[in-house]
Amino acid sequence: MPAQRDLLFINSSQLITCAGPARARRGKEMSDIGILKNSAVAVSNGRIAMIGAASDLRNAYTDADIIDCKGGVLTPGLVDSHTHTMFGKARFEEHEQRAAGLDYMEIAQRGGGIHASVRDFRQRSEDELYSMSVERLRELAAYGTTTVEIKSGYGLSTDEELKALAVIGRLADRHKQRIIATWLGAHEIAQEYRSDSDRREKLIDMLVHDQLPKVVQQRVARFADVFCEPGVFTVEESRRLLSAARKAGLGVKLHADELKPAGGAELAVELEATSADHLAAVSEKGIRALSKSETVATLLPGTMLFLGRSKQAPARELIDAGAAVALATDFNPGTSPTVNFPLIMTLGVSQLRMSLAEVLVACTVNGAAALGLAAEIGQVAPGFSADLALFSITDIRELPYWYGARLCVGSWKAGAPCHPYENVTKLQARFPEVVPTG
Ligand SMILES: [Zn+2]
């Protein structure tokens, strides 16, 4: 491969560095995002090499390609640490059914829910799933997301889960963003186990003794995840499965306390999980446990919004207690069909009562920590991978403010474009009061 040319990002109105320790930020640490003005960024061999005055950097990197930010705001590439991006069909009919008052069980009885995605997934080829996912990843990149965690979990049988992870592996090898694979074989109780009287025992045995060893042997996932929730997998079952995964060398994540407080957060801390995700119904005890642990609390406010639920995760309580909070889209066809990560930032401010700095850290540094990547990505600082996003705004506070708008005009992973750099000035013309300074 030819050596990558050096790059100089100049003329940003603000450079948001989020620079600091290479680990999750917790409590008050989440209030510092390191805003720099009149600063350029030099990228060499895909890494941040220098930050400083444009004139100094031009002298130091005379052969670099210049990327003119034209007065936009440059940030670390956004890190979406919880998605189900690789699925088959959309499930828009359920949206209307839910609005008409049907609950989860009634929707499932009409053929909807996760099982609908599983039936559909099993009929599709790897090629088909690959090309559908590429389109969605392009859309994620167009909103500034440069790292995407993708879970399996619509296959459920061993062969189908390995198929899912093989497609995610192909995406990781060939696609422009950074892709992290998570094995979610315990996303739901597969239909074939539902009719069996001692099904649960058999299912967990199958996951531990058949599926997990194959996932580990094929090296197709970095993390294991379980849907730990009353009616899906119990705390005891989740403990058994995730302990085995941990012993086999995988990192551990949990879907925890989404709808009812069932001890999922406490289990995540007990297992030293990298993250506990959802947490809309986390207990006081769970908040305390998370605040004293290294486990990142990953909140998914888009899901609660889309489901029309009034109760959001207690972000304020978590941060004030000293926990590390990340935000993610939970992009999936049933409960959060959005690729718009900045919209999740809006929900962070408007519904979770987080500050702008806290949502920025939650979508960069802490997202990286939720994937065990805090030493590699999430901040613009020398030595870190040059994962960057450029937005057509002049003040970072505009990013969650213009809610729903697509303001990203370029995103890069390790200095290589994920989303083509566009004409910033043209986009800024949509908002006449925003005057480019570059
Ligand atoms: Zn999920």
Side-chain angles (χ1 to χ4, degrees):
M1 226 164 80
Q4 202 177 359
R5 287 180 61 81
D6 293 344
L7 300 174
L8 276 188
F9 289 80
I10 60 165
N11 290 337
S12 61
S13 56
Q14 292 179 334
L15 166 64
I16 311 299
T17 64
C18 295
R23 55 162 174 76
R25 310 285 165 77
R26 49 184 60 250
K28 287 201 166 54
E29 291 177 335
M30 290 183 68
S31 298
D32 184 10
I33 51 171
I35 302 179
L36 298 180
K37 291 192 171 179
N38 306 316
S39 291
V41 179
V43 172
S44 188
N45 294 321
R47 297 205 167 259
I48 308 291
M50 250 174 110
I51 295 167
S55 52
D56 295 346
L57 267 55
R58 276 181 191 269
N59 289 336
Y61 294 88
T62 45
D63 287 341
D65 287 344
I66 303 289
I67 296 182
D68 187 349
C69 298
K70 295 182 180 168
V73 173
L74 190 63
T75 73
L78 306 181
V79 182
D80 196 348
S81 63
H82 184 136
T83 88
H84 306 256
T85 297
M86 212 256 305
F87 55 87
K89 68 166 188 169
R91 288 174 16 214
F92 40 81
E93 63 283 1
E94 292 171 30
H95 192 204
E96 228 176 0
Q97 289 170 353
R98 213 175 286 116
L102 269 64
D103 68 14
Y104 179 83
M105 286 311 293
E106 289 164 322
I107 290 173
Q109 278 157 11
R110 293 190 181 194
I114 289 176
H115 290 298
S117 287
V118 173
R119 281 192 302 276
D120 173 76
F121 180 91
R122 289 178 174 181
Q123 289 169 12
R124 292 186 192 267
S125 70
E126 289 190 20
D127 286 346
E128 200 177 353
L129 290 161
Y130 176 84
S131 43
M132 290 171 101
S133 305
V134 164
E135 286 307 313
R136 295 176 190 138
L137 285 167
R138 276 198 194 116
E139 288 185 45
L140 283 155
Y143 282 94
T145 302
T146 52
T147 297
V148 187
E149 184 256 20
I150 308 180
K151 301 173 195 296
S152 68
Y154 295 122
L156 301 186
S157 74
T158 296
D159 285 350
E160 291 294 326
E161 282 295 294
L162 290 172
K163 174 174 109 184
L165 290 165
V167 176
I168 298 171
R170 254 168 84 185
L171 292 165
D173 289 343
R174 297 186 200 171
H175 195 66
K176 291 167 181 167
Q177 281 139 307
R178 194 181 300 278
I179 311 285
I180 306 298
T182 295
W183 168 57
L184 182 57
H187 194 189
E188 213 353 326
I189 314 285
Q191 291 287 15
E192 50 268 35
Y193 286 88
R194 284 198 172 263
S195 52
D196 198 316
S197 58
D198 53 358
R199 60 190 164 92
R200 303 191 76 98
E201 191 76 22
K202 279 188 189 161
L203 174 57
I204 305 294
D205 280 346
M206 182 278 282
L207 289 166
V208 171
H209 298 300
D210 182 54
Q211 206 170 109
L212 170 64
K214 288 178 179 151
V215 168
V216 171
Q217 194 229 337
Q218 296 185 17
R219 297 169 179 264
V220 284
R222 196 181 290 204
F223 292 98
D225 192 347
V226 169
F227 205 127
C228 177
E229 187 77 24
V232 195
F233 291 93
T234 66
V235 165
E236 197 38 60
E237 290 162 345
S238 305
R239 180 185 286 116
R240 202 183 140 204
L241 193 48
L242 291 173
S243 303
R246 212 177 152 219
K247 226 170 136 187
L250 297 182
V252 166
K253 290 175 161 288
L254 265 95
H255 283 65
D257 302 327
E258 178 179 353
L259 305 170
K260 292 187 186 129
E266 293 91 318
L267 176 66
V269 172
E270 176 195 318
L271 294 170
E272 298 177 340
T274 308
S275 72
D277 301 27
H278 278 298
L279 304 172
V282 66
S283 67
E284 283 295 323
K285 211 173 140 210
I287 294 173
R288 275 199 305 279
L290 285 165
S291 69
K292 291 186 180 62
S293 76
E294 298 293 311
T295 301
V296 176
T298 300
L299 313 182
L300 311 168
T303 310
M304 292 293 130
L305 176 89
F306 190 74
L307 290 176
R309 294 192 177 246
S310 51
K311 198 171 182 304
Q312 285 282 5
R316 240 348 333 126
E317 288 81 347
L318 282 159
I319 295 170
D320 294 345
V325 168
L327 293 174
T329 61
D330 193 18
F331 178 38
N332 79 77
T335 61
S336 188
T338 187
V339 289
N340 186 338
F341 204 178
L343 178 61
I344 303 302
M345 292 184 181
T346 304
L347 300 180
V349 176
S350 300
Q351 301 211 322
L352 304 187
R353 295 187 296 121
M354 293 167 73
S355 69
L356 169 94
E358 287 166 347
V359 297
L360 243 296
V361 168
C363 297
T364 55
V365 179
N366 284 5
L371 296 174
L373 294 174
E376 178 71 12
I377 56 169
Q379 44 181 308
V380 184
F384 280 79
S385 181
D387 291 23
L388 296 160
L390 177 63
F391 297 94
S392 63
I393 48 177
T394 55
D395 185 311
I396 187 60
R397 288 173 293 184
E398 293 181 72
L399 188 52
Y401 170 78
W402 299 113
Y403 79 100
R406 188 170 76 73
L407 298 165
C408 178
V409 287
S411 60
W412 293 263
K413 178 196 84 174
C418 299
H419 174 60
Y421 171 56
E422 296 170 8
N423 184 332
V424 186
T425 321
K426 196 170 75 192
L427 275 160
Q428 280 179 334
R430 284 189 306 167
F431 306 118
E433 67 272 44
V434 177
V435 181
T437 58

